[in-house]
Amino acid sequence: MARRFLLLFLVLSVTLVLLLDSSSAQMPGFVSLDCGGKENFTDELGLNWAPDDYLIYGETTDISIANETRKQYTTVRHFPADSRKYCYKLNVMRRTRYLIRATFLYGNFDNNNVYPKFDISFGATHWSTIEISDATTIEVRELIFLASSPTIDVCLSNATTGQPFISTLELRQFNGSVYLTPFEEHFYLSVSARINFGADSEAPVRYPDDPFDRIWESDSLKKANYLVDVAAGTMKVSTKLPIDVNRDEMPPEKVMQTAVVGTNGSLTYRLNLDGFPGFGWAFTYFAEIEDLKPDESRKFRLVLPDQPEVSKPVVNIQENAHGKNRVYEPGYTNLSLPFVLSFRFGKTSDSSRGPLLNAMEINKYLERNDGSLDGVIANVIVLYSSDDWAQEGGDPCLPVPWSWLQCNSDPRPSITEIHLSSKNLTGNIPSDLTKLSKLVELWLDGNSLTGSMPDFSGCPDLKIIHLENNQLTGELPSSLVNLPNLRELHLQSNMLSGTVPSGLLDKNLVLNYTGNVDLHERRRRVRHLNIIIGSSVGAAVLLIATIVSCLFLRKGKNRHYDQDQIRDSLSVQRPVSSLNDAPAEAAHCFTLSDIEAATKMFEKKIGSGGFGVVYYGKLKDGKEIAVKVLTSNSYQGKREFSNEVILLSRIHHRNLVQFLGYCQEEGRSMLVYEFMHNGTLKEHLYGALTRGQSINWIKRLEIAEDAGKGIEYLHTGCVPAIIHRDLKSSNILLDKHMRAKVSDFGLSKLAVDGASHVSSIVRGTVGYLDPEYYISQQLTDKSDVYSFGVILLELISGQEAISNENFGVNCRNIVQWAKMHIESGDIQGIIDPLLRDEYDIQSMWKIAEKALMCVQPHGHMRPSISDVLKDIQDAILIERETAMAREGNSDDMSRNSIHSSLNMGSLDLGATENYLSLDDTIARPTAR
Ligand SMILES: *[C@@H]1O[C@H](CO)[C@@H](O)[C@H](O)[C@H]1NC(C)=O
Ligand SMILES: *[C@@H]1O[C@H](CO)[C@@H](O)[C@H](O)[C@H]1NC(C)=O
Ligand SMILES: *[C@@H]1O[C@H](CO)[C@@H](O)[C@H](O)[C@H]1NC(C)=O
Ligand SMILES: *[C@@H]1O[C@H](CO)[C@@H](O)[C@H](O)[C@H]1NC(C)=O
Ligand SMILES: *[C@@H]1O[C@H](CO)[C@@H](O)[C@H](O)[C@H]1NC(C)=O
Ligand SMILES: *[C@@H]1O[C@H](CO)[C@@H](O)[C@H](O)[C@H]1NC(C)=O
């Protein structure tokens, strides 16, 4: 028992050591952190200061300001000006009210003379923006709060200029019901003004005169924004007699012993209220400290401009306070106040003395932000509490997320990504991670995690899971199959066992589980083979033939095989484990004779490009294919071809032309794709397929959406990302249903993990080629965005990217031409006449503006493809709504006429369109 007590004591003393040290000499619940300080000390007020040297972030610097001798103002702690937040965590007692004070004395600590500007937050709540305007003035922020959890966090973030820094952080505990408000569960009080009237010096009153160490500013302090317009006849009065202050907010006696009196019948003041306009807590403190004769009275009213109801109550201090030298504290718990507050106390006509005022206090309500939803993450970080990454403090997502996670932008954010690769994590995968219901990416690779994989059913959005290079054991949970969005599952180099759930293999998934010796794929494709034999002998023969020829290719001279080898080659893990392996393991290998049969000896040519000719073919099972015969110099060697094939075989997306296999025989390399019935977008826009009637605007938007999704997948769904490098309208193919797919990854290269990639040869097509890439040879995904912008311009205009005639003199380029028109507001000048009037001008503008952003000269100025996709989808919605309105009102002549004039007009008529939709909402007051 005693030992357990000792243990408890030790735990407590470890956590509270900095916070409650030497509480004997001062009030309990006082914490005074000397930020950047080096030692404990007691100041002249008797407050015990402790250094913040337990903080693992930030640097400390000494400063020196003339006339500022207080030790806590000779140092600062400052933090990098980055996108992170830097937090202090303090222990508090729940259900207790506190004052927290942060102060900032810049003192040119960085020898930079740039006045810093940054934000301070209290937990998840934005507290204030600290904007230094003078190197020698101390900025002070105070907040009164009811503690609802055992710790609080104060964080600095969002450096707009200079580095965030802090001089002191002070926590003061209140007693009983001091500062109780009806709103304290949802609002903090941000201190705006706390004024001691009639003060006998400019020095503020604070500890030990105020047991809670509030700072009561002197009304005689000459502060630019403070207390002007003082009425004539205002006099100071004071007393040495004790004042009974033990009620309400317990103002310090010293403050109550002084006051001002309006000897002419009025007290007037004007002051600036920091943080207002807004709703505030405003109280006045009165104590009768003058001797009134029995026949004398002091009665007065408060007068606020525009607030007549405030002026109704009459103050009679002695009567209200039940005697002399006692506090009376009237005020408003919720009052709307302006930034510049002018107020007046005026005596009533039957009062013999003028008004008296000892003190006043105004606090602004600051709405509390309840913070992110995923509180369970706290259970994860306590497991690793000694690791730096687990000590970042504050809310996981607000005001900015911890450096190792990402959050969505909901009002109450949820965690979407966890990046804890190579952090030396041990033990099981924390089960609380599986409670993060919005989790999309989980990176725990390169740790020493043990135990089995948890059930991730609680995270239905999970798309990417990295658990490779750990020591995980046990079987794969079958629930993995039910994650609808799973795209990548990296499990290699663990000690997992059992079989891979067959449902996983059927998914469109990057799955790697090599290096798990006891983990196997069920040999299910052999069964598959049997089924095929049962159903179609012809196809099976073809399949076997291919397998055999692929094995021959693989084995080289060793031209024999046995049944086991076939089975091995059928049950290999996928995707293939190394780029050095023969491509046969991942991609289907066609023999030359298959291809020759399918294409009838390359009879029907359906296209050609810089790297090969494309032929139509039909397999024996009836499947139509497109065979790309690569020109012999397309690939430097077999190795490069293999890489390409492996890459292709890994890419699966509804909006990417499906890769079916390859053939490499007799020095010829061929790639086999699904056949797309409706040809290229190019042909539909201005090629042979238009015949004077083209695809309409909404169809064009849908094609753009399809293509955008395909590109988005290349950029964000593949790891590492893939840059297409040769996007153009002839590489966007249309299927039977006119859905678009992006084709031709012949030039695609693996992009190195987000970083730009230097390649030796600039490749691409004139008219679509990113000028920045052309000059710098730095290839990024933004080069694709440029090309996509050109395609959008083609969709709007029906013009080719490059033309010698169509763009007028001195202009051969669609970008230059469209830019000129769009920027001068003349969108009509570029819209394809074949679209007639069947489009909504708003959706047209949306796409035109986005297209221009895509073709900005510099990559960093261009949006991401996902961004572009969003606008395309918005445009589609606009277009569908307009189409519905058009149909729904087809009998309404007046609307039709508005609409047709709209389509002929330009910008001004966009406003008419707004009017129209407004009209619609009036007619149908539905949910919005
Ligand atoms: C300050 O005082 C506390 C307890 O009184 C002690 O644990 C700590 O080491 C001291 N810090 C320094 C820097 O002296
Ligand atoms: C600093 O102190 C000196 C002498 O103590 C005084 O003359 C001067 O006015 C003070 N300056 C400020 C800014 O307080
Ligand atoms: C950062 O501060 C700037 C200027 O004070 C402000 O405009 C911006 O919204 C802030 N950003 C965040 C994330 O709070
Ligand atoms: C706080 O309250 C306790 C009990 O009511 C009282 O003994 C103590 O003096 C109070 N402290 C202050 C500073 O008023
Ligand atoms: C992981 O642990 C090893 C050895 O204990 C250490 O050298 C390495 O710095 C640690 N890495 C991290 C990221 O903490
Ligand atoms: C699978 O993981 C292994 C081991 O890390 C790696 O060598 C191989 O390249 C990976 N395979 C794929 C297709 O990413």
Side-chain angles (χ1 to χ4, degrees):
M1 189 64 196
R3 210 194 280 160
R4 202 188 289 169
F5 185 77
L6 184 68
L7 193 69
L8 183 69
F9 175 77
L10 278 176
V11 169
L12 279 178
S13 57
V14 166
T15 51
L16 302 185
V17 73
L18 275 157
L19 313 173
L20 298 179
D21 79 288
S22 352
S23 49
S24 53
Q26 64 186 16
M27 293 287 295
F30 272 31
V31 176
S32 306
L33 282 185
D34 172 16
C35 304
K38 291 163 196 72
E39 57 199 13
N40 294 318
F41 67 95
T42 303
D43 67 11
E44 56 269 35
L45 300 174
L47 294 168
N48 300 320
W49 291 84
D52 64 346
D53 52 3
Y54 64 98
L55 226 67
I56 55 175
Y57 300 107
E59 287 176 44
T60 69
T61 300
D62 294 346
I63 59 171
S64 146
I65 302 285
N67 295 13
E68 183 51 82
T69 53
R70 286 175 291 176
K71 196 172 166 63
Q72 65 268 31
Y73 289 112
T74 57
T75 57
V76 295
R77 182 177 290 273
H78 50 99
F79 302 95
D82 55 20
S83 57
R84 293 179 56 173
K85 60 172 177 263
Y86 295 95
C87 300
Y88 286 85
K89 186 181 280 299
L90 301 176
N91 293 336
V92 290
M93 273 180 353
R94 297 188 60 197
R95 308 303 311 163
T96 305
R97 282 175 210 87
Y98 290 86
L99 171 75
I100 185 151
R101 175 161 52 225
T103 73
F104 309 86
L105 175 59
Y106 170 49
N108 195 20
F109 68 83
D110 52 359
N111 282 320
N112 216 2
N113 273 316
V114 171
Y115 296 152
K117 179 177 175 186
F118 53 92
D119 289 344
I120 181 170
S121 48
F122 182 73
T125 305
H126 178 260
W127 177 358
S128 184
T129 298
I130 309 299
E131 193 167 2
I132 303 299
S133 53
D134 175 0
T136 62
T137 302
I138 301 176
E139 287 285 329
V140 180
R141 296 293 185 278
E142 293 182 312
L143 205 66
I144 293 167
F145 64 95
L146 173 73
S148 56
S149 57
T151 60
I152 54 151
D153 297 279
V154 173
C155 307
L156 308 185
S157 64
N158 191 20
T160 316
T161 53
Q163 293 174 47
F165 73 95
I166 184 165
S167 301
T168 70
L169 194 57
E170 300 159 55
L171 189 63
R172 308 289 182 244
Q173 185 185 322
F174 288 117
N175 222 8
S177 63
V178 174
Y179 293 106
L180 178 150
T181 78
F183 319 109
E184 61 188 356
E185 303 281 349
H186 303 293
F187 291 88
Y188 303 124
L189 290 174
S190 164
V191 178
S192 195
R194 197 191 287 116
I195 306 165
N196 174 20
F197 287 92
D200 50 15
S201 80
E202 289 192 0
V205 172
R206 61 180 294 185
Y207 188 82
D209 294 313
D210 185 334
F212 308 125
D213 193 27
R214 288 166 290 190
I215 296 178
W216 299 81
E217 295 287 357
S218 163
D219 65 341
S220 53
L221 188 70
K222 296 286 173 289
K223 236 169 138 186
N225 60 345
Y226 231 41
L227 292 180
V228 289
D229 290 353
V230 182
T234 300
M235 301 272 293
K236 290 185 180 188
V237 295
S238 65
T239 179
K240 293 268 183 282
L241 293 173
I243 313 278
D244 180 0
V245 295
N246 208 3
R247 58 183 291 190
D248 299 330
E249 268 53 63
M250 300 187 182
E253 183 177 61
K254 187 167 178 190
V255 166
M256 296 310 293
Q257 282 173 329
T258 66
V260 286
V261 174
T263 55
N264 293 356
S266 276
L267 282 172
T268 63
Y269 289 97
R270 185 158 62 90
L271 79 161
N272 292 358
L273 291 175
D274 290 337
F276 283 89
F279 287 92
W281 180 100
F283 277 74
T284 43
Y285 297 89
F286 301 112
E288 185 54 79
I289 57 171
E290 285 196 303
D291 290 320
L292 302 192
K293 301 200 180 73
D295 60 334
E296 285 184 317
S297 65
R298 190 195 303 278
K299 294 199 264 179
F300 54 92
R301 290 190 171 96
L302 169 62
V303 181
L304 289 185
D306 309 325
Q307 306 223 33
E309 68 287 1
V310 164
S311 313
K312 282 182 192 146
V314 172
V315 177
N316 181 338
I317 303 173
Q318 216 156 271
E319 205 175 286
N320 297 133
H322 307 290
K324 216 168 116 52
N325 296 330
R326 291 170 62 89
V327 169
Y328 171 53
E329 188 198 315
Y332 293 88
T333 56
N334 191 11
L335 187 64
S336 168
L337 290 170
F339 173 57
V340 178
L341 177 66
S342 293
F343 62 94
R344 184 173 80 87
F345 289 99
K347 82 176 192 59
T348 59
S349 49
D350 59 342
S351 170
S352 54
R353 295 280 193 121
L356 175 148
L357 173 64
N358 306 66
M360 74 185 287
E361 207 180 347
I362 297 177
N363 301 318
K364 183 172 188 282
Y365 282 111
L366 180 67
E367 188 169 3
R368 177 188 167 134
N369 186 321
D370 290 326
S372 55
L373 281 173
D374 292 321
V376 289
I377 196 72
N379 304 339
V380 176
I381 62 173
V382 295
L383 301 172
Y384 303 98
S385 53
S386 58
D387 292 359
D388 288 1
W389 61 268
Q391 292 179 35
E392 293 187 21
D395 186 87
C397 302
L398 294 170
V400 289
W402 288 335
S403 61
W404 48 275
L405 48 78
Q406 290 290 315
C407 302
N408 61 20
S409 50
D410 291 353
R412 294 201 64 184
S414 300
I415 295 168
T416 54
E417 294 180 21
I418 297 221
H419 295 267
L420 288 173
S421 307
S422 308
K423 295 273 197 233
N424 279 353
L425 309 187
T426 54
N428 292 345
I429 294 176
S431 62
D432 283 299
L433 289 179
T434 65
K435 295 180 188 154
L436 303 174
S437 60
K438 293 284 158 58
L439 195 63
V440 178
E441 292 189 22
L442 178 62
W443 296 68
L444 295 175
D445 50 296
N447 287 300
S448 307
L449 293 166
T450 51
S452 56
M453 254 180 94
D455 179 350
F456 284 110
S457 313
C459 318
D461 295 345
L462 259 178
K463 195 166 163 187
I464 298 178
I465 302 179
H466 278 270
L467 297 175
E468 67 268 27
N469 300 315
N470 277 294
Q471 288 144 35
L472 300 173
T473 51
E475 305 208 349
L476 298 189
S478 57
S479 59
L480 281 172
V481 178
N482 302 327
L483 290 176
N485 297 300
L486 191 62
R487 291 293 169 272
E488 291 183 31
L489 179 57
H490 302 265
L491 301 170
Q492 61 268 32
S493 305
N494 276 292
M495 300 181 301
L496 297 162
S497 54
T499 53
V500 180
S502 61
L504 268 189
L505 299 166
D506 296 337
K507 273 175 111 88
N508 174 8
L509 184 69
V510 175
L511 170 62
N512 193 342
Y513 55 90
T514 55
N516 289 281
V517 194
D518 295 326
L519 184 60
H520 299 290
E521 179 173 336
R522 185 166 292 138
R523 300 194 167 172
R524 43 191 294 287
R525 282 206 227 153
V526 177
R527 266 190 294 141
H528 188 59
L529 184 67
N530 294 338
I531 293 162
I532 290 175
I533 289 171
S535 65
S536 159
V537 174
V541 168
L542 176 72
L543 191 65
I544 289 170
T546 2
I547 294 160
V548 170
S549 81
C550 290
L551 281 173
F552 282 159
L553 272 175
R554 239 181 114 195
K555 297 284 171 195
K557 293 174 204 128
N558 190 7
R559 277 176 173 264
H560 70 85
Y561 67 96
D562 59 35
Q563 202 57 36
D564 282 319
Q565 275 174 329
I566 293 179
R567 233 181 286 125
D568 283 345
S569 79
L570 288 170
S571 61
V572 283
Q573 297 157 1
R574 62 168 199 190
V576 289
S577 57
S578 150
L579 293 184
N580 294 331
D581 289 355
E585 287 190 322
H588 187 75
C589 172
F590 291 88
T591 63
L592 185 57
S593 56
D594 295 337
I595 303 279
E596 283 172 349
T599 61
K600 299 198 180 139
M601 299 306 287
F602 303 100
E603 179 189 54
K604 190 167 161 200
K605 183 172 148 184
I606 52 174
S608 65
F611 37 87
V613 179
V614 185
Y615 296 91
Y616 173 82
K618 197 171 193 173
L619 294 178
K620 289 195 180 125
D621 63 359
K623 189 172 178 64
E624 292 172 291
I625 58 172
V627 178
K628 176 170 301 196
V629 182
L630 302 173
T631 43
S632 49
N633 61 357
S634 294
Y635 290 99
Q636 269 103 36
K638 193 173 172 204
R639 167 73 182 270
E640 206 177 331
F641 183 74
S642 313
N643 290 353
E644 186 66 22
V645 168
I646 291 171
L647 173 65
L648 288 174
S649 65
R650 274 195 236 154
I651 306 170
H652 301 282
H653 189 273
R654 197 154 47 93
N655 298 113
L656 296 174
V657 174
Q658 197 192 349
F659 174 68
L660 299 174
Y662 71 103
C663 172
Q664 194 175 33
E665 267 181 54
E666 297 178 9
R668 297 170 79 180
S669 303
M670 297 171 221
L671 301 173
V672 180
Y673 296 92
E674 67 175 313
F675 174 66
M676 299 286 285
H677 283 85
N678 268 314
T680 71
L681 172 61
K682 179 180 174 157
E683 293 165 309
H684 285 272
L685 284 179
Y686 39 72
L689 295 177
T690 56
R691 285 184 228 99
Q693 55 157 40
S694 185
I695 35 178
N696 65 21
W697 179 234
I698 189 151
K699 193 71 234 172
R700 292 186 193 194
L701 288 174
E702 283 165 1
I703 289 170
E705 184 190 19
D706 287 344
K709 280 182 180 165
I711 299 160
E712 185 187 41
Y713 179 75
L714 293 176
H715 287 184
T716 65
C718 300
V719 179
I722 290 166
I723 299 172
H724 187 291
R725 300 222 279 184
D726 197 21
L727 285 174
K728 50 187 172 184
S729 52
S730 57
N731 271 341
I732 293 175
L733 305 187
L734 300 166
D735 71 6
K736 271 185 191 148
H737 312 288
M738 291 295 279
R739 299 311 305 228
K741 299 188 185 196
V742 175
S743 83
D744 228 341
F745 312 106
L747 293 178
S748 295
K749 280 278 167 199
L750 293 166
V752 181
D753 206 20
S756 50
H757 177 94
V758 183
S759 70
S760 48
I761 323 159
V762 171
R763 290 195 253 190
T765 303
V766 180
Y768 297 87
L769 189 60
D770 169 12
E772 191 176 48
Y773 164 50
Y774 183 76
I775 293 163
S776 68
Q777 303 197 10
Q778 297 276 321
L779 185 67
T780 73
D781 54 356
K782 294 297 176 68
S783 300
D784 282 352
V785 171
Y786 182 93
S787 312
F788 192 69
V790 175
I791 295 172
L792 290 179
L793 293 176
E794 290 181 76
L795 286 169
I796 294 173
S797 65
Q799 297 289 341
E800 287 186 72
I802 293 284
S803 161
N804 281 327
E805 301 91 37
N806 298 350
F807 302 137
V809 279
N810 291 333
C811 186
R812 295 185 54 226
N813 178 316
I814 194 171
V815 170
Q816 224 180 322
W817 170 75
K819 203 169 159 151
M820 202 175 65
H821 280 89
I822 297 170
E823 283 178 351
S824 64
D826 172 27
I827 197 173
Q828 300 292 337
I830 63 162
I831 295 177
D832 187 351
L834 292 180
L835 289 175
R836 301 203 188 83
D837 286 342
E838 288 148 13
Y839 55 84
D840 183 298
I841 196 78
Q842 278 190 55
S843 71
M844 193 62 88
W845 268 112
K846 213 175 210 359
I847 300 303
E849 279 169 357
K850 209 65 183 184
L852 281 200
M853 288 175 69
C854 292
V855 296
Q856 293 270 24
H858 299 294
H860 66 88
M861 301 161 83
R862 299 174 201 150
S864 68
I865 190 69
S866 310
D867 221 43
V868 183
L869 195 50
K870 233 170 67 227
D871 272 27
I872 294 170
Q873 284 161 343
D874 287 350
I876 290 175
L877 280 183
I878 295 175
E879 205 54 53
R880 290 203 179 124
E881 273 167 23
T882 314
M884 261 163 63
R886 256 196 306 252
E887 280 158 27
N889 297 306
S890 56
D891 53 348
D892 183 336
M893 285 309 293
S894 60
R895 287 206 181 188
N896 273 349
S897 60
I898 290 174
H899 211 277
S900 52
S901 66
L902 199 168
N903 286 337
M904 291 186 297
S906 64
L907 260 181
D908 294 344
L909 289 163
T912 319
E913 176 67 4
N914 281 338
Y915 165 73
L916 238 187
S917 52
L918 240 181
D919 200 40
D920 281 347
T921 56
I922 291 167
R924 279 177 264 128
T926 49
R928 258 233 140 194

